[in-house]
Amino acid sequence: MTGKTGVFDELGPVVSRHPVANGKRWVNALWALGIGVPLGWLGLWGATSGGDDASAGANKAVGVLIGLGLAGFYLAATQALRAVRGGSAEYFEVREHGMVHGSRRGPTAFAWDRVTAITIRTGERDTALSRQLGVGYRCVLRLADGRRVRVDGLAERHGALGLAVLSRCPHAARLTGDEWQHKAGGWLLAAGAACLAAVVAMVLFIAGHPDKVITDPHDIALVHDVPGLGDAQILLLSVAILVCLIAGITCIALFVRARMMRR
């Protein structure tokens, strides 16, 4: 169902209205770019201007700067996309017999009996940063036609909205958001092992390509320097090692957590 809000009068009177502060998403995108651009530029400048005598600590610092820059770009992109998708006038409207979700594409509505599953997750720590990003709360409604309606912490009185949905949908399955870990099962362990194996392979590759000094067997006065890996290659491999290490540990931790939750 689509159209103006007045078309949804069959859903009953309005119980509560929850506008979404999508303006904060643009602010988040701007400060993420403000942090990511200079840090990423410093990292790239260090990677391209560093000489052969650059220390291992300097290479690590460059890798950290590039990683922070990429994280800033990723955060800015996700916040901007969500802001564009929702628009400046996004809202959720709880009605007696259903919900209306308005966005830049126009309002849509559904009755409570169309909700088949509800996932509500609340962050363990409520901080100023989590409130600014809206990541401290998430409510996902799965509808009978396969659609999903997502509510985060930037919706006004999001906690009350989640409680209203729960009270009006006793038939819907309650999910925790961790069910995919049980379904993944051994694939998580396999992915973690593959990431750690990639880390070992890259470390051995770096160790197997040191700078060499070769002496001509016919003339010991002739010495040739054979360079190993370049600074840029070592930097890229170092970043890849860090990413694979974090991914491997995360996959294994999720596998262990899923096994413990089954008990």
Side-chain angles (χ1 to χ4, degrees), residues 16-254:
S16 61
R17 200 170 190 275
H18 307 264
V20 181
N22 277 321
K24 284 187 176 181
R25 302 193 198 277
W26 290 115
V27 175
N28 297 337
L30 289 176
W31 66 252
L33 280 178
I35 294 174
V37 169
L39 290 181
W41 182 85
L42 283 175
L44 292 175
W45 177 80
T48 56
S49 63
D52 295 336
D53 56 347
S55 63
N59 288 331
K60 290 180 181 179
V62 168
V64 170
L65 289 173
I66 292 178
L68 291 174
L70 292 175
F73 279 109
Y74 173 78
L75 179 59
T78 54
Q79 290 289 306
L81 287 175
R82 291 176 183 176
V84 170
R85 181 178 59 190
S88 58
E90 185 180 14
Y91 67 91
F92 295 94
E93 200 172 70
V94 176
R95 297 203 170 199
E96 189 65 32
H97 305 297
M99 177 184 284
V100 176
H101 176 210
S103 68
R104 62 188 299 268
R105 295 183 299 273
T108 61
F110 54 88
W112 294 125
D113 58 7
R114 302 297 295 168
V115 180
T116 59
I118 303 172
T119 301
I120 292 183
R121 299 197 68 172
T122 303
E124 297 180 359
R125 298 182 61 184
D126 184 22
T127 64
L129 181 60
S130 67
R131 291 192 296 271
Q132 179 67 28
L133 296 175
V135 297
Y137 181 87
R138 184 181 66 175
C139 175
V140 181
L141 309 181
R142 184 185 302 169
L143 306 184
D145 58 4
R147 289 183 298 157
R148 295 175 186 267
V149 179
R150 294 174 173 83
V151 182
D152 65 12
L154 292 185
E156 185 178 290
R157 294 181 292 118
H158 48 270
L161 172 58
L163 290 176
V165 171
L166 289 173
S167 64
R168 287 167 170 77
C169 302
H171 59 281
R174 268 56 171 173
L175 304 178
T176 63
D178 298 324
E179 288 76 15
W180 67 272
Q181 298 178 23
H182 300 292
K183 294 180 180 179
W187 289 107
L188 284 172
L189 185 61
C195 289
L196 295 181
V199 169
V200 173
M202 285 185 285
V203 170
L204 293 177
F205 181 78
I206 293 175
H209 292 77
D211 295 339
K212 297 179 181 179
V213 177
I214 300 178
T215 303
D216 192 333
H218 303 290
D219 187 352
I220 60 175
L222 294 177
V223 178
H224 302 281
D225 293 329
V226 180
L229 298 175
D231 291 338
Q233 292 174 304
I234 294 178
L235 175 62
L236 291 175
L237 287 172
S238 299
V239 173
I241 288 173
L242 179 61
V243 171
C244 289
L245 183 62
I246 294 175
I249 294 175
T250 301
C251 288
I252 294 175
L254 289 174

